[in-house]
Amino acid sequence: MFKVFSRKSTIAITSVVLALSLSACGKAAPDQNQGAAPTTGTTATTAPAPAGLKGDIKIDGSSTVFPISQAVAEEFMKKNKDVKITVAESGSGNGAKKLIAGEIDIADMSRKFKKEELDELKTKLSTEAIEMPVALDGITVVVNKKNTFAKELTVDELKKIWSKDSTVKKWNQIRPEFPDKEIKLYGPGTASGTFEFFTEAINGKAKESRSDYTPSEDDNVLVKGVSGDEFAMGYFGYSYYKENEAKLNAVAIKKDANAPAVLPSHESIEKMTYVPLARYIYIYPTKKSMEQPHIKELLKYYNSADGAKLVEAVKYIKLPQDTMNKNLDLLK
């Protein structure tokens, strides 16, 4: 089911539009420079979209990437009244399936396409999926705001909790000083790219996880579950944590017992020091879809200066300019 844009995102995007307007008038918006990405590379100039663009665009896939595509789509449609874009969030795995079936034009992905998926797309539709990073993210492990004991965990401790054969039921099974209270677990569903990335990074094998937790492809369900239970734990993309920072605590991650504990932040994700959970997230159009003018211009908009500001507005970290330039080169 394709979604209509939420009130929360509209407020966030309206703030960006205001920021862009102030910038155009030569006035700095209050947080305009927050979280600047590395300035390597030359800023690409994207020409205005040609007049008269029209057509439909369907996007589906990762709930992590959803806020970015939602924001970009809403602003692009304001500038191009005859282009209609629908955005859904059925999970990266389902996004890949729908792109292969020819049901959508762009797949939102919080993991890379797999070789077998690329091969299947080529066989069925005689085209290729083109990989375009859209932002940097850090999968954030969260606990309830009242939880003041689990401020940091090692990768081994997370594996002890989330591994396929885990017998951990209570917090004091992780550390004796933790409370003798049951851990309620929340996480993405198995179609999620975030699920695949997390299980590979923490458990050592993609998609291998205990199954006795509350799964959902809707990250807002996970936020609600963890924020409503003092002894709960969950994980999802950084954007959803930042949107709900007032009612959740992020857990700092230690790569091993001797490593420093690192919290997810704009800086630690941008510099990839938030190990092992910092990552790129992607969109995948097909080569055929990129030949359509209205889709090609949308992809340029993702990689424009305005697109980068929308990425930051929905609490992700914008790409280094070199990466955006490489994406734009694919559209020439």
Side-chain angles (χ1 to χ4, degrees):
M1 187 74 177
F2 288 94
K3 286 198 170 184
V4 176
F5 301 119
S6 68
R7 188 178 72 84
K8 183 172 71 174
S9 70
T10 302
I11 292 170
I13 295 165
T14 301
S15 300
V16 174
V17 172
L18 175 62
L20 295 178
S21 301
L22 290 171
S23 178
C25 294
K27 299 175 182 176
D31 61 348
Q32 190 175 359
N33 294 320
Q34 183 181 352
T39 54
T40 54
T42 303
T43 303
T45 302
T46 51
L53 287 175
K54 61 172 66 174
D56 294 340
I57 304 174
K58 290 183 177 179
I59 304 171
D60 197 352
S62 166
S63 62
T64 304
V65 184
F66 174 79
I68 297 172
S69 287
Q70 181 189 41
V72 168
E74 186 167 330
E75 289 305 305
F76 189 80
M77 285 191 290
K78 286 180 185 174
K79 299 172 187 293
N80 300 276
K81 303 292 186 186
D82 293 325
V83 177
K84 182 183 177 185
I85 307 170
T86 49
V87 185
E89 49 176 335
S90 63
S92 296
N94 290 324
K97 288 177 183 175
K98 291 182 180 182
L99 195 75
I100 292 166
E103 296 175 6
I104 58 174
D105 304 292
I106 298 170
D108 283 345
M109 301 289 290
S110 59
R111 61 162 173 83
K112 293 191 173 194
F113 255 63
K114 299 171 183 173
K115 183 181 182 304
E116 56 268 30
E117 292 170 335
L118 294 170
D119 291 345
E120 189 178 0
L121 176 69
K122 198 165 187 176
T123 300
K124 288 189 173 177
L125 300 183
S126 300
T127 189
E128 298 173 29
I130 304 301
E131 179 180 299
M132 285 190 181
V134 286
L136 292 159
D137 177 37
I139 297 175
T140 304
V141 177
V142 295
V143 293
N144 187 276
K145 202 68 181 176
K146 293 179 181 175
N147 182 330
T148 57
F149 54 89
K151 293 182 178 178
E152 61 179 49
L153 291 170
T154 66
V155 169
D156 281 347
E157 287 171 329
L158 284 172
K159 183 177 182 179
K160 191 174 179 182
I161 296 169
W162 286 99
S163 65
K164 183 180 177 182
D165 302 318
S166 175
T167 57
V168 171
K169 299 288 185 186
K170 295 184 176 182
W171 279 103
N172 61 359
Q173 291 176 268
I174 302 304
R175 294 185 198 175
E177 65 268 29
F178 284 174
D180 181 17
K181 295 289 185 181
E182 185 180 354
I183 309 175
K184 298 283 182 62
L185 295 172
Y186 294 82
T190 56
S192 164
T194 296
F195 171 76
E196 288 202 36
F197 190 98
F198 182 87
T199 50
E200 183 166 14
I202 299 300
N203 294 340
K205 187 174 181 180
K207 303 188 95 167
E208 192 166 280
S209 169
R210 68 189 298 167
S211 57
D212 58 340
Y213 70 97
T214 301
S216 178
E217 307 299 350
D218 183 344
D219 292 316
N220 291 307
V221 171
L222 308 180
V223 168
K224 188 176 180 181
V226 178
S227 63
D229 187 317
E230 184 175 348
F231 297 101
M233 169 190 281
Y235 66 90
F236 37 70
Y238 182 68
S239 170
Y240 288 89
Y241 161 64
K242 289 299 288 182
E243 280 291 338
N244 297 281
E245 202 169 3
K247 48 190 174 184
L248 297 170
N249 287 335
V251 177
I253 306 300
K254 298 179 70 168
K255 188 172 67 173
D256 56 53
N258 298 317
V262 180
L263 278 166
S265 68
H266 195 291
E267 183 180 10
S268 66
I269 294 170
E270 186 177 68
K271 293 182 177 177
M272 290 286 183
T273 56
Y274 179 58
V275 179
L277 297 177
R279 59 175 178 169
Y280 282 90
I281 51 178
Y282 307 89
I283 55 173
Y284 280 80
T286 64
K287 191 173 272 188
K288 279 185 181 176
S289 68
M290 288 166 57
E291 293 170 358
Q292 300 179 59
H294 62 302
I295 296 177
K296 186 173 185 177
E297 292 303 323
L298 174 68
L299 295 170
K300 287 182 181 177
Y301 191 66
Y302 269 101
N303 291 285
S304 67
D306 286 356
K309 287 176 180 173
L310 290 170
V311 165
E312 297 264 321
V314 296
K315 315 294 186 187
Y316 285 112
I317 290 80
K318 67 183 179 182
L319 296 171
Q321 189 61 51
D322 281 354
T323 306
M324 292 172 66
N325 290 348
K326 287 177 184 174
N327 287 342
L328 290 168
D329 286 344
L330 296 170
L331 297 164
K332 290 179 179 175

